[in-house]
Amino acid sequence: MGRLWFHRKEWDSTGQDVVLLHQFRRGRFCPNLSPFALKVEAFLRLANIRYKIDEETPFGPKGKCPWITINREDIADSEMVLDDLTERFNVQLDSQLETREAAVVESARVLADEHLFWCVIAWRYWLDGCTTFLKTQTFGRFLNIAFPFFMKKGTKKRTEEQGLGVHSPEEIYQICKKDCNTLAGILGDRPFFGGENPCRADCAVFGQLAQLMWNAPGTRYEALVTVDNPSLALYCIRMKEKVFPDWDLLLAHPK
Ligand SMILES: N[C@@H](CCC(=O)N[C@@H](CS)C(=O)NCC(=O)O)C(=O)O
């Protein structure tokens, strides 16, 4: 109770209209291991909303990361966060999209957040047993041992319940490949999913693709964007340069 009260006071003192983004610690090659946290941070930057980071309490009222506190209110789920902030700050990131275009990019967003995400976590935590993943983070000794121990079995079970986990490793890879090919098809030769400029869906798609681009080094999952769909790799670099010009400064360095 004392701890919660202490945190509450801290969360509520960020300042009027300043977002407190609760998320995991920075990674070595990508600012966040959570695609949803990267999505929210990208949105905050594109929408010019002032924000601070809290890395102490990454899990919010719905038991997931990320979540935000704004003006003493907690909001959980990245998409609900974007909905709230879009309305609260009258964000116009999608105003250039025509109805059909908006529907297509929303389909890409759902594909990334609700389908590609599962492929990536199935590979990262279960099929690869966290081996590559741990190289991308700066966890201490305890987490380096405990993380694979809990996450491997836990993710297998959860992906089986979700549906993807009943497939073989090769089938999961092929499903992931199809997702990437589809995203590359939707992107086409446009610089961003929103066209000349990033839209809301770009934040989500980038959050997910960034996990393949920077958090799967040396694997065939990384090659899905760097080799099989180089337009997606170029897209990731474009988003990184536009939204996170300070990317390298955000990264964690091994102790
Ligand atoms: N729909 C949620 C998904 C968030 C989510 O699944 N976050 C992961 C980290 S990437 C998480 O907190 N996992 C912990 C768990 O599910 O227990 C959102 O968009 O924010």
Side-chain angles (χ1 to χ4, degrees):
M1 180 66 194
R3 204 172 128 82
L4 185 67
W5 180 85
F6 173 76
H7 280 312
R8 187 75 264 166
K9 243 186 115 181
E10 213 173 66
W11 299 336
D12 290 345
S13 57
T14 312
Q16 186 67 19
D17 287 344
V18 180
V19 168
L20 184 62
L21 170 58
H22 309 271
Q23 63 176 8
F24 299 125
R25 295 206 176 140
R26 299 299 191 187
R28 289 184 60 200
F29 310 122
C30 177
N32 219 279
L33 67 92
S34 164
F36 303 104
L38 201 58
K39 163 185 171 180
V40 173
E41 192 167 9
F43 178 84
L44 290 166
R45 285 168 168 239
L46 279 170
N48 285 318
I49 297 170
R50 284 181 300 155
Y51 72 98
K52 291 180 182 165
I53 301 282
D54 161 45
E55 295 177 340
E56 297 302 311
T57 42
F59 296 108
K62 293 181 181 168
K64 305 254 182 201
C65 170
W67 59 292
I68 65 159
T69 304
I70 178 160
N71 300 344
R72 298 187 171 77
E73 205 183 313
D74 297 334
I75 305 160
D77 188 280
S78 63
E79 201 53 25
M80 292 183 187
V81 166
L82 267 56
D83 283 342
D84 178 284
L85 297 178
T86 297
E87 202 178 310
R88 198 184 286 261
F89 293 103
N90 190 23
V91 177
Q92 297 292 325
L93 285 183
D94 287 0
S95 56
Q96 83 279 17
L97 300 176
E98 286 167 15
T99 311
R100 191 167 184 285
E101 246 185 323
V104 171
V105 293
E106 171 60 6
S107 314
R109 199 279 300 168
V110 174
L111 184 155
D113 272 357
E114 309 293 346
H115 199 262
L116 177 60
F117 166 69
W118 284 98
C119 298
V120 175
I121 66 157
W123 166 76
R124 174 191 281 180
Y125 300 126
W126 164 37
L127 301 175
D128 191 54
C130 305
T131 309
T132 309
F133 171 69
L134 288 176
K135 292 181 198 153
T136 68
Q137 305 301 311
T138 54
F139 291 171
R141 245 170 97 193
F142 172 74
L143 265 185
N144 274 333
I145 295 167
F147 212 77
F149 186 79
F150 290 107
M151 290 302 280
K152 207 173 157 177
K153 235 174 141 180
T155 306
K156 181 176 189 300
K157 187 170 178 293
R158 287 175 75 168
T159 49
E160 276 170 2
E161 286 162 359
Q162 184 268 348
L164 186 75
V166 300
H167 301 300
S168 71
E170 184 55 32
E171 285 167 340
I172 293 174
Y173 168 74
Q174 291 301 335
I175 291 169
C176 192
K177 187 173 186 170
K178 199 168 173 183
D179 282 354
C180 292
N181 296 348
T182 304
L183 287 174
I186 296 174
L187 179 65
D189 55 8
R190 293 146 61 106
F192 301 102
F193 284 81
E196 284 307 308
N197 292 298
C199 65
R200 239 181 89 155
D202 277 285
C203 304
V205 177
F206 173 68
Q208 302 291 339
L209 288 178
Q211 305 306 318
L212 294 171
M213 177 79 185
W214 288 288
N215 275 341
T219 69
R220 65 174 176 164
Y221 277 80
E222 176 193 56
L224 287 178
V225 293
T226 54
V227 178
D228 299 288
N229 291 288
S231 68
L232 293 182
L234 291 173
Y235 164 76
C236 284
I237 292 166
R238 209 173 291 130
M239 277 294 285
K240 173 187 153 182
E241 286 173 354
K242 185 163 182 89
V243 187
F244 292 93
D246 53 345
W247 182 275
D248 291 342
L249 295 174
L250 297 178
L251 300 180
H253 299 286
K255 287 154 206 152

